[in-house]
Amino acid sequence: MAPLRTRLPPPPAKPELAVFASGMTSMGLEILAGRMIAPQFGSSIFTWGSIIGVFLAALSLGYLRGGASAASRASHNRLVRLLLGTALYVAVVIFVGDTLLRASTAFPLPSRFASLPAIILLFAPPTYLLGFISPYAAELSDKQSTGAASGRVYAIGTVGSILGAFGTTFLLIPSLSITQIGLVLGLIAVGTAVLIARPGMTTDQAVGSAAVALLLVAAAGSGLAGLSIEGQIVYQTQTPYQELQVIDLGDTRTLYLDGQRHSAMDLSDPNRHVFGYTRYFHLPLLMNDDIDNVLFIGGGGFTGPKRFVADYNVTVDVVEIDPEVISVAKEYFAVEESDRLRIHNMDGRQYLRQTNQTYDLIVLDAYQKDKVPFQLTTEEFMQLAESRLSDDGILFANIISAPQGSASQFYRSEYKTIDAVFPRVYSFPTVDATVIQNIEIIATKNGTLITREELLARNTERDIGIDLRSEIRNYRATENTADVPLLRDGQAPIDSLLDPQVDQRYVIQETNRTNATATG
């Protein structure tokens, strides 16, 4: 009796392979778009809504045009050309994407629509080309009925999109740079084109595939060069949460998160305050002279935690959600864990819920100019933080906003929310202008008012290792918050509050310069 042989499933037909690759590539490009656009326009709901809308519109137009021409033009050769055209445009995006992003800011659009020109320019053309593939594949399908052919195409394309979503999110972004991810997606398109063209690949197809592959590699090679307009790139990566770069310029090493300056260190004096706003971290020591346990929510370059451990007899816990930020801080920003400096890799609110530790000072330093974790802004969070403070404990919140005007909505809304929980709230703008800047909000459980004059006197009397006279002069004890919302877990319109900040410069005062330096 002849042995039974297992029948292997037939290999996928060439049109089906093209549909699978187009689904995977389009979804990969969509997720990549979020990472490319964020440094210039932020990652608000308006940015992501624009990305999703542009991709859907481009695909829909491709489906429509492809369906209209499929009967007369659908062929394996046409699928090859569409895939190579997509890969070629990806090479263009890799090579000049940053330049096009910067140029697109010139369009005079309202801030919530500001990212649309960049998204359309960079990602609509390749997505439009990919849209042709599904109707062409349905036309070329060996299924006898239109319904069967369409259903199979939809299913295969969706499976490809699922793989593209999970693969890009969980594999590519944590492991590769934006340039490398673009290279991978482009080479997937080229590789699929080669498989469809074989056997019997024509000379034109072979030359075209080789040329596009070389252009992709060359574009990626140019993007991997260790230079940027900000300085020498020491390290860069895509973390699960953001784009991260470490850049050296002269003696200053700067941590960039999603294209924004986040922390800086003087290579010759690692504990020196390079950014002026970090000097304000010491103000709570003039309000409470019995600070022993300190919690920082948000690590970055660990400027504050390092300085506190070096200057004071305190124990510091730091909670940082991004594991890559912690690794970079240790390797590039002279951070060393010890019994007095403990680092926890988790969300700040989650940590406060789980810990039984009571702190004398909690420093909330997890906000960025255009990306704010809403769960760390609400009244419920402030109540949780207040419950983890000692009787005379202090909350310090580093806000990025404007002190007045339309771009001050987030600052004033956060002030109002903190004021609803703490009996006394103060604020300290860090730049003498109405621009986007770091504004420090200090809230005390002790309801006794401390005046500017009292702070100046304490600054003279107490030796806290730093002279804060100029910082104290920016003192505010009241704020107009009647027209802004109280932030709650059920309603915290952070994106709307941040929207007026999108097209404005973010100014950071540097301690080694006499004037402000703008960024963002």
Side-chain angles (χ1 to χ4, degrees), residues 10-23 74-83 132-143 152-153 156-157 188-189 191-202 205:
K14 292 179 178 180
E16 295 171 350
L17 182 62
V19 169
F20 181 83
S22 70
S75 66
H76 288 167
N77 182 57
R78 184 69 61 176
L79 293 177
V80 170
R81 293 173 65 180
L82 288 169
L83 288 165
F132 277 77
I133 291 177
S134 289
Y136 278 19
E139 181 69 25
L140 296 171
S141 174
D142 58 4
K143 300 298 178 184
R152 188 169 179 82
V153 165
I156 292 173
I188 287 173
T192 305
V194 170
L195 290 174
I196 292 172
R198 295 180 63 192
M201 178 184 288
T202 67
Q205 290 172 337

Side-chain angles (χ1 to χ4, degrees), residues 49-249:
S50 297
I51 290 171
I52 294 169
V54 167
F55 271 77
L56 290 175
L59 280 173
S60 297
L61 185 58
Y63 294 152
L64 180 65
R65 297 293 300 276
S69 62
S72 60
R73 304 188 68 182
S75 66
H76 288 167
N77 182 57
R78 184 69 61 176
L79 293 177
V80 170
R81 293 173 65 180
L82 288 169
L83 288 165
L84 291 180
T86 299
L88 179 62
Y89 203 90
V90 170
V92 173
V93 171
I94 294 172
F95 188 67
V96 296
D98 286 343
T99 302
L100 294 177
L101 270 176
R102 296 176 190 275
S104 66
T105 60
F107 289 91
L109 293 174
S111 57
R112 64 181 57 188
F113 303 111
S115 63
L116 269 174
I119 299 167
I120 293 171
L121 185 61
L122 291 173
F123 296 102
T127 308
Y128 169 71
L129 293 178
L130 291 173
F132 277 77
I133 291 177
S134 289
Y136 278 19
E139 181 69 25
L140 296 171
S141 174
D142 58 4
K143 300 298 178 184
Q144 294 183 352
S145 71
T146 302
S150 299
R152 188 169 179 82
V153 165
Y154 293 150
I156 292 173
T158 301
V159 171
S161 296
I162 293 170
L163 183 60
F166 283 111
T168 305
T169 300
F170 294 103
L171 180 62
L172 298 184
I173 284 180
S175 305
L176 304 176
S177 67
I178 285 177
T179 297
Q180 292 167 331
I181 295 170
L183 174 63
V184 169
L185 296 175
L187 289 178
I188 287 173
V190 173
T192 305
V194 170
L195 290 174
I196 292 172
R198 295 180 63 192
M201 178 184 288
T202 67
T203 301
D204 288 345
Q205 290 172 337
V207 171
S209 299
V212 173
L214 287 173
L215 285 172
L216 281 166
V217 173
S222 67
L224 293 174
L227 291 173
S228 74
I229 61 173
E230 292 87 6
Q232 177 71 35
I233 298 175
V234 178
Y235 178 77
Q236 62 180 347
T237 189
Q238 291 291 321
T239 82
Y241 299 93
Q242 57 212 331
E243 179 189 34
L244 183 153
Q245 291 180 311
V246 178
I247 296 179
D248 285 353
L249 182 61

Side-chain angles (χ1 to χ4, degrees), residues 385-400:
E386 191 271 347
S387 72
R388 296 296 184 266
L389 286 169
S390 58
D391 291 342
D392 290 322
I394 297 174
L395 175 73
F396 181 107
N398 178 30
I399 307 295
I400 301 176

Side-chain angles (χ1 to χ4, degrees), residues 349 374 376-382 417 487-489 492:
R349 185 163 176 171
F374 93 92
L376 302 182
T377 67
T378 63
E379 182 180 22
E380 291 85 349
F381 171 77
M382 298 306 166
T417 303
L487 303 176
R488 294 189 174 95
D489 283 352

